[in-house]
């Protein structure tokens, strides 16, 4: 099963995350199928390819709670 979740990178105490599509059995920082976004919780900087998210959701991928919230914020920002 595919999951859309966060992959951590960055320095200690300064996390940044990539939003990735990955097999659910892989480890958190494993090799993803595709990187579809970026999230920095310190500056609230977010970049998400919403078309890719919808594509993988239509193929049966599940999103984590945090990624769902990030996508919701990104779609609201695009509408404004």
């Amino acid at each position: 099963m595919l999951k859309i979740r966060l992959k951590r990178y960055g320095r200690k105490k300064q996390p940044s995350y990539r939003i990735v599509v990955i097999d659910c059995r892989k480890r958190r920082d494993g090799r993803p199928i595709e990187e579809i976004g970026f999230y920095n919780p310190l500056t609230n900087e977010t970049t998400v390819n919403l078309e890719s998210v919808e594509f993988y959701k239509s193929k049966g991928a599940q999103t984590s709670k945090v990624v769902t919230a990030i996508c919701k914020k990104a779609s609201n920002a695009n509408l404004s």
Side-chain angles (χ1 to χ4, degrees), residues 1-79:
M1 176 192 309
L2 293 177
K3 286 267 192 176
I4 302 173
R5 63 184 186 203
L6 298 176
K7 176 180 175 179
R8 188 182 196 277
Y9 73 104
R11 295 191 329 221
K12 185 167 66 170
K13 304 288 186 182
Q14 293 184 345
S16 294
Y17 298 94
R18 289 191 175 133
I19 301 169
V20 297
V21 179
I22 195 167
D23 187 6
C24 68
R25 295 168 290 188
K26 300 276 185 177
R27 59 189 179 166
R28 178 192 71 186
D29 296 332
R31 184 170 177 218
I33 295 169
E34 184 180 355
E35 293 180 355
I36 57 175
F38 169 81
Y39 173 61
N40 186 342
L42 300 177
T43 62
N44 270 340
E45 181 183 351
T46 305
T47 306
V48 182
N49 186 346
L50 294 173
E51 293 174 1
S52 292
V53 172
E54 292 302 319
F55 172 76
Y56 282 108
K57 281 176 118 178
S58 70
K59 298 291 183 186
Q62 294 182 342
T63 58
S64 67
K65 292 178 183 178
V66 176
V67 172
T68 303
I70 290 170
C71 290
K72 200 175 289 187
K73 279 185 192 178
S75 66
N76 288 340
N78 285 345
L79 295 176

